[in-house]
Amino acid sequence: MDIRGRDPATECYRVDLVIDDRTITALVPERLAADMRLIGSRSSHQTAYVWMAENKEKIEAAIATLARGTGRPRAPFDQITLIEER
């Protein structure tokens, strides 16, 4: 999984993942990494990257599920969306 940076327009991080010989680009909402105790808070880049590293397997599984069309990821990973396939 490669994190390609933050997309300010969608407030998500762009993530690339190779699945079945295809490169899939997904958007992982930055709000997933935010401290839920602080309503309206926005996570720092470091916090978001640490959170994504800690949840790498779940993020990759959610993207694979969406790319293969084999179901729907469990919350909160159901908020991830696919945007590109190469």
Side-chain angles (χ1 to χ4, degrees):
M1 179 173 88
D2 294 320
I3 302 169
R4 293 184 28 217
R6 183 178 178 274
D7 179 8
T10 61
E11 296 183 343
C12 294
Y13 284 87
R14 289 179 305 277
V15 174
D16 282 347
L17 182 64
V18 176
I19 300 171
D20 303 329
D21 297 322
R22 301 176 295 158
T23 300
I24 305 295
T25 301
L27 294 176
V28 178
E30 69 179 351
R31 67 182 168 272
L32 297 180
D35 186 344
M36 295 305 170
R37 294 170 293 171
L38 303 173
I39 303 300
S41 70
R42 198 175 135 215
S43 60
S44 68
H45 284 294
Q46 179 166 343
T47 301
Y49 278 78
V50 168
W51 181 86
M52 286 189 277
E54 291 172 348
N55 290 279
K56 182 179 188 266
E57 290 178 7
K58 292 177 183 176
I59 293 169
E60 289 177 347
I63 294 170
T65 296
L66 291 170
R68 292 178 178 139
T70 56
R72 184 163 171 82
R74 291 184 182 211
F77 302 98
D78 59 340
Q79 297 177 52
I80 294 171
T81 56
L82 304 184
I83 60 168
E84 185 179 344
E85 178 181 330
R86 293 174 279 166

